[in-house]
Amino acid sequence: MTGSLEKELNTYIHQLNITQQKSLLGFIKTLFPSVDEDTITIEQYNKELEEVDAAIERGEFYTHEQATEIFKT
């Protein structure tokens, strides 16, 4: 960032009250998507799908009726 642009931004930021600063920070964070702990890569997603498909092929699943009975108890 150029020196004059940075100075101008700082001038405006320092004029904001704490609520406005928090709001601005929240907005700025939306401009930079981050990877949180729950985010997985497409490779990991595909691997998990393959694992689930393999489990289903091995018969490791519950039917709707079985699941309904499990949750009744």
Side-chain angles (χ1 to χ4, degrees):
M1 187 174 343
T2 65
S4 63
L5 180 57
E6 188 173 348
K7 285 179 185 178
E8 186 176 0
L9 282 169
N10 281 328
T11 299
Y12 286 112
I13 289 171
H14 290 295
Q15 292 179 27
L16 300 173
N17 65 40
I18 190 70
T19 303
Q20 292 168 323
Q21 288 178 3
K22 287 179 181 180
S23 179
L24 178 60
L25 179 59
F27 169 73
I28 291 171
K29 286 182 176 181
T30 66
L31 300 175
F32 300 93
S34 63
V35 177
D36 61 20
E37 295 176 13
D38 296 331
T39 303
I40 61 172
T41 64
I42 189 68
E43 292 82 9
Q44 180 64 31
Y45 175 76
N46 288 335
K47 180 182 176 200
E48 290 179 13
L49 287 178
E50 290 170 5
E51 291 171 358
V52 170
D53 286 342
I56 291 170
E57 287 180 22
R58 291 189 303 269
E60 298 172 2
F61 62 88
Y62 293 106
T63 65
H64 179 265
E65 291 79 17
Q66 290 169 321
T68 301
E69 286 302 314
I70 290 170
F71 287 107
K72 282 183 180 178
T73 58

